[in-house]
Each structure stands twice: as structure tokens, then as C-alpha cells.
Amino acid sequence: MAQDEKMVPTNISKFGVARRYYKRSLLIAVNLVAGLSIFFFGYDQGVMGGVNTTRNYAETMGFGRWDVGTGEVTITKPVLQGGINAIYYLPGTLVGALLGGWLGDRYGRVTAMTWACLWTIVGATLQTSAQNADWMFCARVFTGMGTGVLNAITPVWATETASHTSRGQFVAMEFTLNIFGVVAAYWIEYGTSFYGDGTSSFIWRFPISFQIVPLIGLFGILWLMPESPRWLVKVGRDEEARWLLGRLRGEGGEDLGKAEAEFQDIRNNCELERKTAKEQSYFAMFFGIGSGDLHTGRRVQLVIWLQILQEWVGIAGITIYGPQIFTIAGIGNKDRLWVSGLNNITYMFATLICVFTLDRIGRRWTLYWGSIGQGIACFAAGGLARATQNASGASKTGYGGGATFFVFLYTAIFGATWLTVPWLYPAEIFPLQIRAKGNAWGVVGWSIGNGWTTLLLPTIFAKLNEKTLYLFGAVNALSIVIVWALYPETNQRTLEEMNLVFASKSIWNWDAEATYKTLKEQNPELVQAAERGNSVLDPETGLPRLPRKARASLVPTVSHHDEISDEKQ
């Protein structure tokens, strides 16, 4: 049902997709644009894997030389190589994420993404034209900042626009597109590796420059995309927000009243958020200042360290330095990029498993089985790689094939488990009023994890060779204990319930679950209202719809009742 043209707010562009599309078609349009941004993120992350092994790049940057005997690059300065990769994350994406959280809240989600596209296009151009290591250092920082803004804002924009019934599945689907970007990077690099006699800079400059293509497309189409209705309410543009929600949710038939109910909840939440605006700085969030029993600081630490763990369970080494790992497994120089590209195709399809399992078995069990499988694969691949180096003839081929299989198995398991959960968790445990900044903290953790691994892995691989895989296997075993002890389950729990889960003063998960159970028994209406799909806020008072007795019982149990109430939606 299309809305009357006379009712369209004057600030809505006449060329915008929100005028043309309605309900599902409009949501699909938003999801596709968000997917284009996530595709760029994957491409940009994966492109350096092949670039690092090219002759001209290693010689131009000064960290390696071409070995005529082996027909491959010999790394002479692993710290320099790792530094060029790591500076993209530290300070690049880390600073960009924090900047993105501020830009997104102040100027809007779409505006921040548009600005980031321009910034990143300049950075990609500087990378493409780099003539030495110093030039590349500056270009990598520049590009990383733009990518950090996109990573911090794109999931928030998509989440705030999508319906709550499709949000989780969409996040999982996003990361299929993310790995598709990694796949595209590998196969483009594989194609350029055949150019000329192998000494041309085109072999590495073209793959880096190709990232400009999706960025130009994203920049052009963002001008036509709708802003987040939640941000519009936050800045007082209620008329636009209400109209947009009508386009997204529908206005007639069985949809009648949905948009209005969501609009009222968003507006009431914003009114309550303004009372605690002084407590929403990054500094206050990190240390939990003024958050009371919401324990914001604990949530920040959880998302940061989950992202760091995601990198140290081994994926950073296998994605960025995959060709070197396959060399250890006995695969020749000409076949390394081809095998890496095939591995990433498997990786991409494995992400679809998470779409169907994540909401069935929960976040914790997804991480459990992922860590177990990844740990086994790392230890097996490391052992077989050592056996390959000590073997000869048919045995060497067999051991090498076995090591390659377990690398493939590792990436498939990671794609089905650890890839998605660390990115989904921040969106689930942070209250609405700090969701953008909470997601930015997740990107900060991802940047730190990537920065550490990319800086250290060249040196670690040079010293330990295949034993590096044992290190990853040990981290996987440790991660099981960490997740079991510290990370509460979020599956099938509403945002309101997560505030009760984190009301415990203890950091341990079992205490959090016990506190949650007690509070839920004392205040059943608080949870039941959300579970029935009703508004949990009274549109006149902005307070939870609780009986007077239940509301009174919450006060002595959770000392900061007003702060808990602020988070209801």
C-alpha cells in the first residue's frame, strides 16, 4: 500500500528508494547496499594475502627479495612486512571505528557512511600508487580509518532499519558477502599473477585499485538510501521517521499499527536516553562510569576481548598468510594462490551453516563446537606439515594433502562459527541508546586483534614455522574456558532480558544466570511483555508497563531502576 504523495515529508528526496519501494522490497534494497559495504570490507581485508607474495611489491617495499632458486619471495624484514599490514588496524581501523561512532550519532548513519566512502577511495588510490614503505604506511592508515567508520556504522544502520524478526539471520547473511569479498580478492590476484614475466607492479597494483569499484558504487547509491528511523527520532525529525517506518513496516491490513507502535517506543526511548546523555562518552562506557547495575564497562570488555580472541584462534594467519601455510604443507609456488582461492570458496559456503544453526543452538554452543573443531584442525595441520617436511616421495604427497585438508576444514568451521558471533554479540548485549558506540568498541577489539596478529605473525612464522599452528590450537582450547566462564547466552533473549542478565555484580556467567533467574521470577511482566511482542513502554509516561507491585519489587533488587528502564524498547 503506497502512502499519499501529499503526506511525504519535504526532506525526503524525490529520487530516494523509500519513495519507490515498500516493505520487503525496501528492506531488500537496504540490505543489498549494506551488503555492498560488507563486501568491500572482506575484499580489503583479503587482498593483502596475495599482494604480500608478489615479487615487485616485496622489492618496492623493501621487506623481501626474489629467490631465483625457489621461484618465490624470501622475506628479509618480517617486522617491516608485518608493520605495513598491522598499521591498517592500529591505528587505522581502531581510530576510524571511534570516529565512526561519533560521526554516526552526530550526523547520521548514511552521512557517515558516505563520508567514509570518499575517505577510503582516497586511501585506496594512495595504496595503489605507493612507491616505498613510508608511502604505503601512510596510505594504509588512511584507508584503515575509512574502513573503520564503515565497519562501525554499516551494521548499526542495517540493524536499526531491519525488522527485529529478521535481524539475526541478516547479520549471518552479511558475512557470507564478507567472505565473498575475500574470495574475489584471491581470484583477481590469481589472475594478475599470470601477467607478463612476473616482475610488473601491475600484478599487485590492480588488485589493490579494484577496491575502488565497490566504493564508488556505494558512494553513488547511498545518496538515495533512507536514514535510520531511530537516528531521525533522536535528532527530532519525527515526521520523517514516522513516514519511513510506515514504508518499512507497512500501514494497512495485518500491518496496521506496527509502524506507529514502533515509532512510539523509539520516541519514548529517546526521551529517556536524554536523561543519561552525559554518561554515554567512550570513556564512561569503557570504565562503566555511572552505568550502575547495567555494568556497561563489563559489556565493553566482553566485546573487545571476543574480537581479539576471534583473530588469535588462527583465522588471521590463515587468511592473510594462507599461501605461506600451504607452502609448509608442500604446495608449490604456482599453485598456492589457486589453492588459497579454492579454500576461500569453501569458507564462503560454510558461512551459510551459521544462518541455519545460530538461532537453534545459541551463541555459546556455536563458539564451543567451533573452538573444538578448529583446535583439532590446527594441531593436525601442524603435525602433518612437519611430517611433510621430513618425508619424501609418495609419503610427502600424502602428508601434504592431509595438511591442506585440515587447513580447509579449519576455515570451513571458522566460517560456520567464530566468524559471525563476535560481530553479532555487541548488537545483542548493548542497550539501544549506546548501540552505535557499543558496536564501535567491537571494531576496536577487532582492530587490536588484527593489529597484534599481522604485526607478529611474520616473525612467529619465521621462528616457529608449522609450530605456529600449535599456538592457534592452544588458543582455541583456552577460548572454550573463557566463553564458558564469562560470556552469557543471548540466544532467544530480548534486549530487556539482557539488562537483567548483566545486573549481577559478578563477572562470572553462572552468577549472571542465577541473578537473571531471580529477577525474572520477581518481575515476570517485564520479560513477558517483550516476549508477547507488545510495547514494554507506556506511550504517555515512558515507563515500563509493570504492575505497581512488580515495579516496586524491582527497585531494591536492581539499584538503578531508572537506568534499567531506559533500555526498554
Side-chain angles (χ1 to χ4, degrees), residues 462-475:
K463 298 292 185 181
L464 300 181
N465 293 315
E466 82 287 340
K467 295 183 181 65
T468 305
L469 300 179
Y470 301 154
L471 174 63
F472 294 148
V475 174

Side-chain angles (χ1 to χ4, degrees), residues 62-113:
F63 62 73
R65 59 178 176 78
W66 184 254
D67 190 319
V68 179
T70 61
E72 59 186 33
V73 172
T74 298
I75 305 301
T76 57
K77 297 180 180 179
V79 175
L80 177 59
Q81 182 199 37
I84 291 174
N85 288 322
I87 204 168
Y88 173 83
Y89 305 103
L90 298 172
T93 56
L94 187 150
V95 173
L98 297 176
L99 179 62
W102 177 78
L103 285 172
D105 283 339
R106 185 176 180 85
Y107 299 106
R109 318 312 192 200
V110 173
T111 300
M113 292 170 63

Side-chain angles (χ1 to χ4, degrees), residues 42-333:
Y43 183 93
D44 196 45
Q45 187 181 18
V47 72
M48 294 306 292
V51 167
N52 281 328
T53 64
T54 60
R55 175 178 180 175
N56 184 270
Y57 178 76
E59 294 173 345
T60 300
M61 298 304 137
F63 62 73
R65 59 178 176 78
W66 184 254
D67 190 319
V68 179
T70 61
E72 59 186 33
V73 172
T74 298
I75 305 301
T76 57
K77 297 180 180 179
V79 175
L80 177 59
Q81 182 199 37
I84 291 174
N85 288 322
I87 204 168
Y88 173 83
Y89 305 103
L90 298 172
T93 56
L94 187 150
V95 173
L98 297 176
L99 179 62
W102 177 78
L103 285 172
D105 283 339
R106 185 176 180 85
Y107 299 106
R109 318 312 192 200
V110 173
T111 300
M113 292 170 63
T114 304
W115 176 88
C117 285
L118 281 178
W119 184 278
T120 312
I121 287 171
V122 174
T125 303
L126 290 173
Q127 284 190 85
T128 302
S129 58
Q131 301 298 319
N132 51 58
D134 291 339
W135 188 327
M136 182 59 82
F137 270 118
C138 295
R140 292 281 289 168
V141 172
F142 206 91
T143 307
M145 289 179 64
T147 305
V149 175
L150 286 173
N151 288 353
I153 299 302
T154 300
V156 175
W157 176 60
T159 298
E160 291 180 337
T161 306
S163 170
H164 70 281
T165 58
S166 59
R167 187 176 295 147
Q169 189 178 42
F170 172 64
V171 170
M173 289 294 294
E174 275 187 352
F175 284 91
T176 300
L177 296 174
N178 173 261
I179 305 307
F180 178 61
V182 176
V183 170
Y186 265 105
W187 285 103
I188 288 175
E189 288 168 332
Y190 178 71
T192 59
S193 68
F194 295 100
Y195 181 81
D197 60 358
T199 62
S200 174
S201 65
F202 175 85
I203 295 173
W204 65 270
R205 294 189 192 276
F206 178 79
I208 290 179
S209 67
F210 187 81
Q211 64 189 298
I212 298 174
V213 174
L215 286 170
I216 291 176
L218 184 62
F219 174 77
I221 200 169
L222 277 172
W223 294 96
L224 307 177
M225 301 308 296
E227 184 52 85
S228 161
R230 295 182 182 273
W231 182 82
L232 290 173
V233 172
K234 180 179 179 180
V235 297
R237 292 160 61 176
D238 289 7
E239 184 184 7
E240 293 174 63
R242 176 61 184 84
W243 180 85
L244 180 57
L245 283 169
R247 299 294 296 177
L248 289 166
R249 309 292 181 250
E251 293 283 14
E254 62 181 14
D255 299 319
L256 186 63
K258 288 183 179 180
E260 179 62 24
E262 186 173 351
F263 173 72
Q264 291 297 333
D265 275 358
I266 295 172
R267 188 167 64 175
N268 290 332
N269 268 296
C270 286
E271 288 298 323
L272 292 170
E273 289 166 12
R274 292 188 179 101
K275 298 178 182 179
T276 57
K278 62 182 179 181
E279 301 169 4
Q280 304 311 307
S281 68
Y282 284 119
F283 183 84
M285 287 178 64
F286 186 82
F287 291 101
I289 298 173
S291 66
D293 287 332
L294 289 176
H295 298 116
T296 303
R298 186 192 308 165
R299 305 190 202 198
V300 169
Q301 295 298 325
L302 287 177
V303 300
I304 289 176
W305 284 101
L306 188 61
Q307 286 281 16
I308 292 174
L309 269 178
Q310 185 195 48
E311 298 307 315
W312 278 101
V313 293
I315 192 58
I318 288 176
T319 299
I320 300 174
Y321 298 100
Q324 295 182 28
I325 292 176
F326 290 128
T327 298
I328 294 173
I331 297 175
N333 181 52

Side-chain angles (χ1 to χ4, degrees), residues 25 32 65 128 172 214 234 327 335 381 403 406 446-447 473 475 502 560:
S25 58
L32 287 175
R65 59 178 176 78
T128 302
K234 180 179 179 180
T327 298
D335 294 328
F406 279 106
W446 173 80
S447 302
V475 174
F502 282 97
H560 292 266

